Structure formats: structure tokens, C-alpha cells
Amino acid sequence: MSASEFRGYLNAFWGGLTRVSWASLLTTVIVLLTLGASTLAIGEKLLIGRAASYIPLHGEDFYALATTEALRMEHSAGSRPALVLLGGSATNESLAEASEIERMLRGAGLDMEVFRLTTQRQNLIESFALLERLPDDRPAMIVLGLGPSRFTWTRAQLQKTIRFPRLGLRSEFLDVVSRELAMEPVPQTGLYVLDNFNFLIPRTLPALGRYFRGTSTPINRFPNNGRVIDKEEWVTRGEQIMKRWANYNRKFAFNADLLTLIIRRVNSNPRWEMVLIEHPLNPAFIDEFLGWERYGNFLERMETISTEERVPFWRLHVEAQLTSEDYFDWAHVNNDQARDRCTRVLLDHVKDVWMSGNES
Amino acid sequence: MNPEQIAKVLRHTGAVFQGAVIGVLLVLAIIALLATSNAVQLFRYQGF
């Protein structure tokens, strides 16, 4: 091939590349349609396995972690009994990593698979959505972390978490729950991508970037470890948290209805056991902001729910003898020793309940 | 294949390449636009 021939070919290619033509327009349309159709075909199973490590936006994106973990719980063929941990950030920071809990359980003679489904400020609608992914035929113990703040969600805020979910787990079952609570359900298409648009869209480009770089998101499960709060932030946080307590009685009743729905759903399955745990609560926060009377009132109500619904309510932080020095702020544990104590207390109870359940 | 036919094939290859690149960029741009609007919604109420 001569140099002029080569230049001619190069010009022809460059001409095709730089001029708009029917061929280029048609290709654009085909690419758009193909990518669009492939995107719609993406299902829940894509978020399990390796993809799960690309999905979290950052190290504390517990919504993504809980979503992928719940999907793994649903689709994995595991037959070991499951220990499902639900709750907010205070519960999250009071319990050891799943692998560590599994190791401790094995040491106690229990072979269980642990699913850590904790997220920041998890509400009971979200707990329900996560729990729904537990297969009915799998024996399981469900541990739900609660504190007085869990009952401060308003109907409007919960409605918003149905309309703009933080988890990628929208389902028809949630619609049923929404209707039971007189909340407007969101129409479903049956296509995972469309039904979980809010969850997926912000995470897509960062996840693609990590996929092509071959790096996963480093997870920071205990973001408050080693942190000490200063006086100014302590007051700011305390006042901010206390804003949740406006109209507490009305909010408590509504959220308690949700909790009852969850407990009854679990108790309707003979393979499942449910326990409620009180997540850590800094006594200094009760002293300075919440007040012991208000707190006592919460405990009384929890005891009532526990008795009426026949579900244990364990106060881990009391049994683990946590002190104010074990906290970063109002409820978040800031050291491994305190976390280890809480975990051990929980697992001692889990062992007792599980063993007695399996004997009968 | 004579040189004219080769040039024609190359021209079409260039056009297809252009179309594919524009298609992929359009998809990425659409996702980025949607992500911006949704990310706002996503993070705004995490602080409830």
C-alpha cells in the first residue's frame, strides 16, 4: 500500500467519524435502545456477589450494604439458620462485624449465618422491607435494635421513605403495608431498575468507575470508633436529637403499630424467632436532654409491647454495663471493648433462646 | 476489494464508531443528569 493510498483510507475513516450521517445516527439509536433494554433487564441478582462491593457510594453507605446483604440473604442457597440484625446506627456500632459474630457463635456451638442489615436512622418501614427478603423456609432469629428515637418518625417522613426509598428493595409487600397504614403506595412496574430508580441512579456512575478500575469501596463499619465529642458538638447534637421528640405520644403509637406488624409477621412463621434489643443510650444524654421520666415511660411501653406480643426485650447496654465513657455521642459506642461486651451479651441470650426453641 | 470499496467500508466504520461513542456518551450524560437530581433527594432527608 502506497502512502497516498493509506492517507486516502485514513481520510475516508476520518470523514465517516466526523460527519453526521444516516449510518452514525442509526448506530446512536441502536446503541441507545440496546443499552436501555439491557439496563431494564438488570435484576436484583446483579447486586449480589462482586457487584456488591462496587455499589456503596462511600464507606458509610449502609443503605447499599444492607440492600446487597438482604438480596444475598434472599437469593443465596444457604441452609444454615440465619441471625438477622436489624436496626439503626446505634445498633450498628454496638455489635461486632458479621464474621466476628459468626466466629463467636461457632465458639458457643451455634452454626449460624449472620446478616447485618443495619442502616443509619433505620425506620420500621425499612426494617420491614429488609426482613421481607428472608426466605420463609429458612430457620432464623431476627434481632431488632430499638431505642426511644425509633418511635419518632412521623407518618409524612415514613411516606417519604416509601416514595423515595433509601434501600433498593421496593416490593409489592411494602405496598400492602403502606395501605394498612393508610399511606399511599407507589405503583410498581416489576422491573428492578425502574422500581428502585432512586437507589440505583446516584450509584451507577461511581460503581461503573470502580468496576473499570477494579477497586471496591472501602467500608468503615464503625465510623465513631476512637472519636471523642467536644462540648459544643455534644450540645448541638443533643438539641438536634431532641427535636425528634415533638408530639412523641402520637408518633410512638403510630410507630408501635408498625412494630407490632413486624412482630406478628415474624411470629406467624414457626421457623423464626424474634427478639427486641434496646440499643445503647448514653446515660449522660438522658441526664442532660431526654430526662429519666421520659426514658422510663419509653421502657414501660416497650415492656408492654414485649409482654403483649410475647417477644423478649433485652437491654444490652445495661447488661454490658456501658458507661458514658463508652460513647461518642448520645448513642454511638466509640470503642471495640464496649462493642465486644454488647455482642457477647446478645449472643448469650441468642444461644439460650435458640437452644430452648430447638429443644421444644 | 478495490480501493474505492475499502474507502467506503472505512467511511461506514467511522460513522458507526461515531454513532456508538455518541450513544454511550448520551447514556452516561443521562445517568449523570438523573443522578444529580436524585442525589439531592437521596441525601436531603438522610438527616431526619
Side-chain angles (χ1 to χ4, degrees):
Chain A
M1 189 195 298
S2 68
S4 64
E5 258 182 336
F6 178 75
R7 210 174 299 122
Y9 292 151
L10 207 60
N11 283 340
F13 179 76
W14 184 249
L17 188 69
T18 53
R19 275 182 226 125
V20 178
S21 63
W22 284 111
S24 66
L25 280 176
L26 189 66
T27 309
T28 302
V29 172
I30 290 170
V31 167
L32 283 175
L33 290 176
T34 310
L35 287 178
S38 329
T39 307
L40 289 182
I42 289 174
E44 296 176 349
K45 288 186 180 172
L46 187 83
L47 302 191
I48 309 169
R50 197 156 168 72
S53 62
Y54 305 129
I55 297 291
L57 271 173
H58 47 75
E60 293 164 38
D61 185 3
F62 297 144
Y63 303 106
L65 290 174
T67 296
T68 52
E69 189 68 350
L71 293 174
R72 186 175 74 82
M73 179 170 79
E74 181 179 15
H75 296 290
S76 69
S79 56
R80 285 188 291 160
L83 178 64
V84 182
L85 305 175
L86 295 162
S89 54
T91 305
N92 172 61
E93 300 211 33
S94 68
L95 299 173
E97 287 281 12
S99 55
E100 176 64 11
I101 296 177
E102 285 183 3
R103 192 190 62 76
M104 290 161 87
L105 282 167
R106 272 196 304 276
L110 286 180
D111 187 19
M112 299 179 97
E113 189 168 6
V114 176
F115 295 96
R116 236 179 181 284
L117 305 178
T118 49
T119 59
Q120 292 98 334
R121 185 114 169 86
Q122 188 176 107
N123 63 50
L124 291 160
I125 288 271
E126 290 167 330
S127 303
F128 222 141
L130 289 159
L131 182 60
E132 197 209 337
R133 303 299 172 141
L134 177 62
D136 280 338
D137 57 356
R138 187 164 190 176
M141 174 166 277
I142 294 110
V143 176
L144 178 56
L146 294 164
S149 171
R150 268 274 205 150
F151 297 86
T152 57
W153 284 80
T154 65
R155 188 183 288 265
Q157 286 172 330
L158 289 172
Q159 177 75 59
K160 197 168 178 182
T161 61
I162 290 176
R163 190 158 287 280
F164 301 103
R166 299 188 287 190
L167 298 163
L169 298 170
R170 190 172 274 178
S171 69
E172 284 175 16
F173 186 73
L174 266 189
D175 286 1
V176 176
V177 175
S178 308
R179 283 194 201 94
E180 279 193 37
L181 298 165
M183 295 197 292
E184 189 190 336
V186 177
Q188 305 284 314
T189 63
L191 295 169
Y192 183 78
V193 171
L194 294 183
D195 291 338
N196 297 282
F197 194 73
N198 265 67
F199 174 80
L200 288 173
I201 282 293
R203 292 175 172 89
T204 303
L205 290 184
L208 281 174
R210 279 189 284 275
Y211 171 74
F212 286 115
R213 286 196 306 274
T215 56
S216 52
T217 312
I219 301 305
N220 182 14
R221 177 60 80 180
F222 308 119
N224 293 312
N225 236 17
R227 291 182 75 196
V228 178
I229 199 164
D230 64 44
K231 188 67 192 165
E232 196 180 332
E233 196 181 351
W234 166 257
V235 172
T236 310
R237 278 192 183 223
E239 286 172 350
Q240 201 178 356
I241 298 295
M242 284 313 296
K243 283 182 187 161
R244 298 175 186 169
W245 262 264
N247 300 317
Y248 189 67
N249 285 340
R250 199 170 58 204
K251 289 189 219 170
F252 188 96
F254 175 64
N255 284 282
D257 285 348
L258 260 173
L259 175 61
T260 309
L261 272 177
I262 295 178
I263 296 171
R264 289 181 185 168
R265 164 89 177 95
V266 172
N267 286 345
S268 69
N269 187 330
R271 291 187 180 86
W272 294 353
E273 298 267 4
M274 175 141 210
V275 294
L276 307 176
I277 58 170
E278 188 196 5
H279 69 60
L281 199 59
N282 192 339
F285 171 75
I286 304 174
D287 272 339
E288 289 180 46
F289 296 99
L290 184 62
W292 288 96
E293 193 183 331
R294 213 184 252 139
Y295 180 54
N297 185 265
F298 160 75
L299 291 177
E300 272 175 32
R301 293 184 202 209
M302 285 311 301
E303 290 299 341
T304 307
I305 293 174
S306 166
T307 310
E308 285 178 356
E309 300 299 327
R310 297 187 304 280
V311 59
F313 176 57
W314 301 329
R315 301 183 63 209
L316 294 193
H317 63 116
V318 178
E319 291 184 62
Q321 299 180 326
L322 299 194
T323 65
S324 288
E325 283 69 44
D326 290 318
Y327 293 86
F328 163 62
D329 57 6
W330 70 287
H332 300 99
V333 166
N334 70 354
N335 65 83
D336 292 335
Q337 294 75 21
R339 185 172 302 116
D340 186 62
R341 294 209 299 276
C342 286
T343 309
R344 285 182 192 284
V345 170
L346 172 68
L347 298 188
D348 283 347
H349 281 303
V350 164
K351 188 182 174 189
D352 290 345
V353 170
W354 192 254
M355 293 293 198
S356 65
N358 284 356
E359 278 165 12
S360 56
Chain B
M1 209 185 268
N2 64 42
E4 274 183 27
Q5 284 172 318
I6 294 173
K8 193 176 172 184
V9 168
L10 285 172
R11 204 163 30 249
H12 278 107
T13 307
V16 167
F17 196 72
Q18 180 208 71
V21 169
I22 290 175
V24 169
L25 288 178
L26 269 175
V27 168
L28 293 177
I30 291 167
I31 294 172
L33 271 175
L34 291 171
T36 314
S37 57
N38 275 278
V40 173
Q41 191 58 254
L42 181 82
F43 290 113
R44 188 186 292 155
Y45 75 103
Q46 278 190 4
F48 271 160

